[in-house]
Amino acid sequence: MMAGLEGVGQGVDLDSAVSAARDGDEAAFRVVYRAVQPQLLQYVRSLVGPGDAEDVASEAWLQIARDLPAFRGDGESVRGWAARIARNRALDHIRARARRPVAGAGVDELVQLPDRADTAGEALDAVATDRALAAIAALPREQAEAVMLRVVMGLDSTSAARVLGKRAGSVRMATHRGLRRLAEILEPDGSFDGHTPDVTFSTSKAL
């Protein structure tokens, strides 16, 4: 059993948790869930809006639990694998409802990239308020989703490209343009909508 991994933190051995969960260890599966779910839910919210995100994420986790025994990746790749499953469930949901992602609640539900951070955990620590999300709403869908996968899910460009069905170079370019555009949306003095932003944007750390 994986009792020693019950608490999810920076010291968690996700490789071991994934391996044990693959063999049916429920405690290890909880470790994987707690490590991946916060970022995964943010990503799903970016696709279907906050109202349906919990249901879609739950559907994704049902498939993740079902398919995990056949998964052959490690702790590094499990996030990208889970993101692909969640994205497919989100797109199925959108098609079933015969609608597009909710305006104002789609890819604008992103967090911003800290100036000196390059991990999903650090990015989540710097989640901004509604004023920052309003800035994200101005991004084109492709750019915003690329930033979401790189920053929130913490995927590298190759893994993000697999999720999106694109080339890694295209994802890197979309991330760069998205972060650059976010910086342009902010006021020259570093404020947005009359407030001081919680974080700044870097076009290099996420590439």
Side-chain angles (χ1 to χ4, degrees):
M1 298 293 290
M2 302 284 292
L5 293 179
E6 282 293 333
V8 174
Q10 292 183 348
V12 167
D13 183 353
L14 194 54
D15 286 345
S16 296
V18 169
S19 179
R22 194 165 48 215
D23 293 334
D25 190 322
E26 294 183 3
F29 183 81
R30 287 196 294 271
V31 171
V32 175
Y33 175 86
R34 291 171 185 169
V36 176
Q37 168 64 0
Q39 297 93 333
L40 193 73
L41 183 59
Q42 285 275 12
Y43 179 50
V44 171
R45 288 182 67 192
S46 79
L47 297 172
V48 303
D52 297 324
E54 292 280 357
D55 288 343
V56 174
S58 294
E59 292 174 5
W61 277 104
L62 286 174
Q63 182 177 345
I64 290 167
R66 184 191 69 203
D67 294 351
L68 188 59
F71 176 66
R72 291 296 175 260
D74 55 14
E76 176 93 15
S77 58
V78 74
R79 296 181 190 276
W81 178 68
R84 288 197 300 275
I85 291 174
R87 189 174 193 265
N88 288 336
R89 296 288 70 76
L91 295 178
D92 287 346
H93 178 81
I94 292 168
R95 283 191 290 265
R97 294 293 180 87
R99 62 169 173 81
R100 296 180 180 278
V102 179
V107 287
D108 42 304
E109 295 287 341
L110 290 166
V111 295
Q112 302 184 48
L113 180 66
D115 195 27
R116 298 176 182 175
D118 190 33
T119 66
E122 290 172 318
L124 287 173
D125 289 339
V127 170
T129 56
D130 289 344
R131 67 186 183 279
L133 298 181
I136 305 296
L139 285 178
R141 169 73 177 265
E142 180 181 359
Q143 294 176 16
E145 196 170 359
V147 173
M148 169 66 81
L149 289 169
R150 296 300 317 282
V151 176
V152 180
M153 291 301 300
L155 305 184
D156 59 27
S157 57
T158 300
S159 298
R162 291 195 190 103
V163 174
L164 297 174
K166 298 180 179 295
R167 294 184 178 182
S170 297
V171 172
R172 284 193 294 269
M173 181 61 69
T175 303
H176 175 81
R177 289 176 175 171
L179 293 172
R180 184 174 61 187
R181 177 57 184 153
L182 288 175
E184 292 172 352
I185 292 172
L186 295 175
E187 294 294 337
D189 62 356
S191 64
F192 177 73
D193 196 24
H195 300 281
T196 301
D198 296 331
V199 294
T200 55
F201 300 104
S202 167
T203 59
S204 60
K205 293 291 184 179
L207 301 180

